[in-house]
Amino acid sequence: DDWDMGITHVIRGDDHVNNTPRQINILKALGAQLPVYAHVPMILGPDGARLSKRHGAVSVMQYRIDGYLPEALLNYLVRLGWSHGDKEIFSIDEMIQLFELEKVNVSASTFNTEKLLWLNHQYIMNSDPVHVAHHLSWHLGERGIDPSTGPKLAEVVKAQRERCKTLVDMAEQSLYFYRDFENYDEKAVKKNFKAGVDEILQHLWSRFDALDDWQPEALHQVVLDSAEQLQLNLGKVAQPLRVALCGTGVSPAIDLTLHLLGKDKTLDRIARAIELIKTL
């Protein structure tokens, strides 16, 4: 087959070293031109054994499902068995330009999921938000979300990229921007929806309802001014507001969260939280 297809180079794992002399002799016997052979070290699991499904070795598409960017996976695999000085992160163009077979490691490499996760986070944080948004849209679609029903995905990426290591994390933590949540986080409610909080939220509702400039700076000022007027520290105002808006105590900065949600969703969710607090 190699001869028939005009194969000039055969690059494969070093578990094939024993097969190579036999294949060379067969090709010589046929009078064929010999290809160049190269044998690269195997990838091992954390226990030092050959990487297999029990180590979590999966199909390439599973990494997409798990929320990895394709460039991050390529970068990790290239760097796993090859190096170029101390450089860790390479663009695809750099991988093509700099890669040399002679620089492939002699010893086997160990697959480290934590390192892949770190690298993926670097790509999420530093890649063009529009590019990340393109891949994020697939994950939202898998969760029944139409991205056109909420804020621009690239803006969501900018708001979430510091905290999310995978696109799965980002999709799960961004659902409330596009779909009303059914339930509040119980711990967040217990901690933040205490007696009197409905009055804080009612004050905020009134201020937001009267606001025409729905930009982060103006929204942040409303929260600051409200805390001052109510004689409360900022956390006593911002955190109940966050739970009202997102159903959880974790989100991007409150001004960005308000901006991305938009005025109508903000007012509706504050009103819903006020009604809930009255029943507690």
Side-chain angles (χ1 to χ4, degrees):
D1 282 345
D2 289 347
W3 182 26
D4 184 54
M5 291 187 291
I7 298 298
T8 59
H9 292 70
V10 176
I11 304 170
R12 55 192 179 185
D14 58 13
D15 55 330
H16 284 285
V17 166
N18 290 340
N19 299 328
T20 305
R22 301 188 191 99
Q23 293 166 359
I24 288 174
N25 285 331
I26 292 171
L27 288 166
K28 283 182 175 179
L30 293 170
Q33 179 72 35
L34 294 179
V36 175
Y37 289 93
H39 298 87
V40 296
M42 301 297 292
I43 300 174
L44 306 179
D47 58 358
R50 181 177 172 178
L51 192 66
S52 64
K53 287 184 178 180
R54 67 187 176 86
H55 294 110
V58 293
S59 72
V60 171
M61 296 312 295
Q62 184 63 44
Y63 288 100
R64 183 193 194 192
I65 294 169
D66 291 343
Y68 291 94
L69 287 168
E71 310 82 50
L73 182 59
L74 285 172
N75 192 153
Y76 180 73
L77 291 174
V78 166
R79 186 63 183 81
L80 187 62
W82 167 84
S83 62
H84 183 76
D86 295 327
K87 189 175 175 64
E88 292 283 352
I89 299 175
F90 299 84
S91 68
I92 291 178
D93 285 342
E94 287 175 327
M95 295 180 212
I96 294 169
Q97 292 169 8
L98 297 174
F99 183 83
E100 295 177 340
L101 190 60
E102 293 79 9
K103 297 290 182 66
V104 172
N105 297 345
V106 175
S107 56
S109 299
T110 301
F111 195 93
N112 185 325
T113 304
E114 287 300 314
K115 183 65 178 290
L116 173 58
L117 196 60
W118 172 85
L119 193 59
N120 195 58
H121 193 203
Q122 300 304 307
Y123 271 89
I124 286 175
M125 289 192 295
N126 298 305
S127 298
D128 181 350
V130 174
H131 174 72
V132 179
H134 171 73
H135 290 282
L136 177 63
S137 66
W138 183 84
H139 290 273
L140 289 175
E142 290 293 295
R143 288 156 178 78
I145 297 293
D146 178 357
S148 68
T149 61
K152 292 181 179 179
L153 270 184
E155 296 304 311
V156 172
V157 169
K158 290 178 186 177
Q160 297 279 38
R161 59 188 174 186
E162 293 291 335
R163 67 177 64 246
C164 298
K165 294 183 178 180
T166 70
L167 296 176
V168 168
D169 293 341
M170 191 174 287
E172 292 291 340
Q173 294 181 36
S174 301
L175 295 178
Y176 54 77
F177 287 124
Y178 299 92
R179 180 170 64 202
D180 288 337
F181 50 87
E182 295 182 3
N183 301 301
Y184 295 87
D185 179 78
E186 290 184 9
K187 290 183 179 179
V189 167
K190 186 176 182 180
K191 183 177 180 180
N192 296 286
F193 283 3
K194 297 180 179 179
V197 168
D198 55 328
E199 297 176 8
I200 297 172
L201 293 178
Q202 185 62 61
H203 176 91
L204 288 165
W205 189 96
S206 299
R207 291 293 304 273
F208 289 134
D209 185 46
L211 190 66
D212 293 324
D213 180 14
W214 204 260
Q215 295 302 314
E217 297 81 4
L219 294 164
H220 184 66
Q221 195 60 50
V222 167
V223 178
L224 285 177
D225 291 346
S226 296
E228 185 176 346
Q229 291 169 18
L230 297 169
Q231 297 183 334
L232 295 168
N233 67 49
L234 186 60
K236 294 292 184 181
V237 175
Q239 201 59 15
L241 175 59
R242 178 175 279 111
V243 178
L245 298 175
C246 309
T248 177
V250 179
S251 82
I254 195 65
D255 52 356
L256 274 178
T257 300
L258 287 159
H259 174 65
L260 291 170
L261 273 176
K263 187 171 184 175
D264 291 343
K265 281 191 176 79
T266 293
L267 295 177
D268 287 347
R269 292 185 186 182
I270 293 175
R272 175 188 173 192
I274 290 170
E275 292 304 311
L276 172 66
I277 294 168
K278 290 178 179 178
T279 67
L280 297 177

